[in-house]
Amino acid sequence: MQRVDEADLAALLAPLAWERQGSELVKVVRRQDFAGALAYVNDVARLAERAGHHPDVDIRWNTVTLRLSTHSLGGITDADLELAGQIDALTG
Amino acid sequence: MQRVDEADLAALLAPLAWERQGSELVKVVRRQDFAGALAYVNDVARLAERAGHHPDVDIRWNTVTLRLSTHSLGGITDADLELAGQIDALTG
């Protein structure tokens, strides 16, 4: 796992539906209701378990906020970007 | 659904494993890992769906934070206390 160089980050983020906030990548997804939000979280969790890398997850009724960061390396890594792309593929 | 009188709240909270923080009830639960945390959230969600009342849920790897409040009534209601008790029963 490697921290991404600041100079490369903007280009790597361009194809992703995540917003950078400081040392985190953030994605907000809305579903029809709480059950839909939870189903989405369970889908994300399957990818996270496979990657051995886990986003922070907040559920507010129908709205899920995901935050990806590699705390041990103090920033955004290739592992974050890879999982971010896999999660984007979930939501189409 | 009714807001609980401030005068009654301490006694009603005494048997519950929730902490009051302002207009919310807060419960923090740790599991062995992310999968355990998510399994717990799915158990909580089943109770929430049955109650038609949903806590805010935060997952940080193995740690789940639940927040119960009735935003439409601006505080803690009988519905919050009832669901809090049901969730306590889950965790034994």
Side-chain angles (χ1 to χ4, degrees), chain B residues 11-40:
Chain B
L12 290 167
L13 280 175
L16 297 177
W18 292 69
E19 185 191 337
R20 184 198 176 175
Q21 291 182 5
S23 62
E24 295 184 325
L25 300 181
V26 181
K27 182 182 184 73
V28 179
V29 171
R30 288 189 177 77
R31 290 294 190 244
Q32 193 171 353
D33 53 22
F34 182 83
L38 188 69
Y40 176 69

Side-chain angles (χ1 to χ4, degrees), chain A residues 13-80:
Chain A
L13 279 176
L16 297 176
W18 292 70
E19 185 191 338
R20 184 197 177 178
Q21 292 181 4
S23 62
E24 295 184 324
L25 301 181
V26 181
K27 182 181 184 73
V28 179
V29 171
R30 287 190 177 76
R31 290 295 190 241
Q32 194 171 352
D33 53 21
F34 181 83
L38 187 68
Y40 176 70
V41 169
N42 279 293
D43 288 343
V44 168
R46 270 186 288 276
L47 296 175
E49 287 291 70
R50 206 156 59 197
H53 193 55
H54 302 86
D56 290 346
V57 178
D58 293 359
I59 309 171
R60 301 286 177 276
W61 194 53
N62 71 337
T63 303
V64 178
T65 303
L66 303 175
R67 289 186 182 81
L68 268 172
S69 185
T70 303
H71 302 293
S72 60
L73 295 179
I76 296 164
T77 63
D78 51 352
D80 295 315

Side-chain angles (χ1 to χ4, degrees), chain B residues 25-72:
Chain B
L25 300 181
V26 181
K27 182 182 184 73
V28 179
V29 171
R30 288 189 177 77
R31 290 294 190 244
Q32 193 171 353
D33 53 22
F34 182 83
L38 188 69
Y40 176 69
V41 169
N42 279 290
D43 287 344
V44 168
R46 271 186 288 276
L47 296 176
E49 287 289 71
R50 206 156 58 196
H53 193 55
H54 302 87
D56 290 346
V57 178
D58 292 0
I59 309 171
R60 301 287 177 275
W61 194 53
N62 71 338
T63 303
V64 178
T65 303
L66 304 175
R67 289 187 181 81
L68 269 172
S69 184
T70 302
H71 302 291
S72 59

